[in-house]
Amino acid sequence: MDVKQIRTFLVLAEELHFGHAAERLRMTQPQVSRLIRNLEQSLSAQLFERSTRSVRLTAAGEALVEPARNILISHRLADAAVKAAGQGEVGHLRFAFTGIATHTLVGRLSKLVRSTHPGIQLSLQSATFALPSIEGVADGSFDLAFGHWPFIPQAVETRMIAEESLVIAVHKNHPLADRESVSMAELKDEEFITLPPNPGSTTIERLYALSQAAGFSPNVVQVAPDSWTILSLVGAEFGCSVTVSSVPDNFTFSNVTFIPLEDDQGPFPLLMAWRKYYDSPALREVLRLSEQLFPAPTEPSL
């Protein structure tokens, strides 16, 4: 059986007239007769009783009507699914992100994808450190990632979605809390809370680099598993911590004040990453949506 035979059978079953069926199908009567005859041969059953005066369904023909309709519906659904996939309307993407600063952006992009392309499913995975996510993009474990990375693998393409800087998080009653900015040298005697040491952790690496440039090594009194815990400890007056400037823009933490660092930090971009050579229409659509949602940051005027 093929779809053309099934469609012809159903129209003839409704019309019970070869001439009328041919008109609906925009065929000739011999074409309709040939398709029905071929269908009957493939099924080894007579589907219609023909006479010079009338056409009617046999018991086998009546039994075929409902399955034939289901076949046509399944064919239409399959055709629609294939077309939608080719146009990026459906798909499954694995989306990795790191750091508290990316959570709001992930939420905004996920909402836009769901509202405009409900057939695209995003599997979200949050991690403490950025290195595994960029490695996952490079080896195909992830389709898309947000993060700060000190280097980009050759197989990965990136786009900057925000230009960030470092800030110091202190308790609201800290002596420096009312300052508009602070230098790293002024933090020489402070106690720091950090994430665990990990290769590729840009925030930790920047903390040590800026401290050394200011002439001291940071006094790390507590290592915490994630940024939420770190800021909770800061709010409990356990110590201070370095984080990125988008955190206070997107989240409110009780008893925590964020102060910009004056030191020259160099570029600190938040990036979106994906494989250079991808063949996913769904990823193409999500990247297009991300350009609408996160336009390239404007270059600062001189």
Side-chain angles (χ1 to χ4, degrees):
M1 290 187 293
D2 62 35
V3 173
K4 191 172 184 180
Q5 290 174 342
I6 292 295
R7 187 177 292 112
T8 302
F9 164 77
L10 287 173
V11 171
L12 184 57
E14 292 175 4
E15 297 291 342
L16 294 177
H17 190 287
F18 277 86
H20 295 167
E23 289 179 9
R24 277 183 58 182
L25 293 165
R26 298 185 179 180
M27 297 180 183
T28 64
Q29 288 191 43
Q31 287 176 315
V32 173
S33 297
R34 184 173 62 254
L35 287 168
I36 295 299
R37 189 165 53 249
N38 291 341
L39 179 60
E40 289 177 326
Q41 289 174 354
S42 68
L43 293 173
S44 300
Q46 185 178 349
L47 302 175
F48 295 94
E49 289 184 0
R50 301 122 163 128
S51 70
T52 56
R53 293 184 178 181
S54 65
V55 176
R56 69 183 184 88
L57 286 165
T58 65
E62 290 180 355
L64 181 60
V65 170
E66 192 61 29
R69 287 174 179 158
N70 291 334
I71 289 172
L72 277 191
I73 292 171
S74 296
H75 178 267
R76 293 188 187 110
L77 290 175
D79 185 58
V82 170
K83 288 180 179 177
Q87 296 169 357
E89 295 299 326
V90 298
H92 176 237
L93 299 178
R94 298 152 299 178
F95 189 179
F97 52 98
T98 55
I100 193 172
T102 63
H103 290 192
T104 297
L105 302 183
V106 169
R108 291 172 60 195
L109 181 58
S110 298
K111 180 182 178 181
L112 181 59
V113 170
R114 182 179 179 182
S115 64
T116 59
H117 296 69
I120 296 179
Q121 179 185 358
L122 298 179
S123 292
L124 305 179
Q125 180 167 330
S126 177
T128 300
F129 297 104
L131 188 58
S133 62
I134 196 69
E135 291 176 342
V137 172
D139 66 22
S141 300
F142 298 120
D143 301 293
L144 187 67
F146 281 174
H148 305 89
W149 297 289
F151 65 91
I152 304 298
Q154 201 169 29
V156 175
E157 188 78 40
T158 64
R159 185 174 73 83
M160 183 170 69
I161 57 177
E163 178 65 72
E164 300 194 295
S165 59
L166 295 180
V167 297
I168 184 74
V170 300
H171 189 271
K172 68 176 184 179
N173 294 330
H174 191 283
L176 297 174
D178 59 351
R179 292 278 297 275
E180 292 186 2
S181 64
V182 64
S183 68
M184 183 59 71
E186 294 177 274
L187 305 174
K188 179 179 179 180
D189 298 323
E190 295 296 328
E191 297 179 332
F192 286 86
I193 309 165
T194 71
L195 293 170
N198 188 277
S201 176
T202 51
T203 304
I204 296 176
E205 290 178 357
R206 290 293 181 97
L207 167 63
Y208 279 91
L210 292 171
S211 298
Q212 290 173 5
F216 70 97
S217 294
N219 177 23
V220 177
V221 296
Q222 181 66 52
V223 172
D226 54 63
S227 298
W228 292 98
T229 305
I230 287 176
L231 292 171
S232 296
L233 291 171
V234 172
E237 296 187 86
F238 200 92
C240 66
S241 186
V242 169
T243 188
V244 293
S245 54
S246 60
V247 171
D249 293 336
N250 293 289
F251 298 93
T252 300
F253 293 89
S254 177
N255 297 332
V256 178
T257 297
F258 299 92
I259 313 168
L261 283 171
E262 299 170 356
D263 304 64
D264 183 10
Q265 304 167 20
F268 201 71
L270 176 61
L271 302 175
M272 170 184 285
W274 64 94
R275 283 182 64 82
K276 282 184 179 178
Y277 308 107
Y278 66 90
D279 58 359
S280 168
L283 178 58
R284 181 191 63 227
E285 283 302 298
V286 171
L287 291 175
R288 182 183 64 81
L289 291 174
S290 74
E291 291 180 357
Q292 297 176 9
L293 195 59
F294 312 123
T298 305
E299 292 291 334
S301 57
L302 299 178

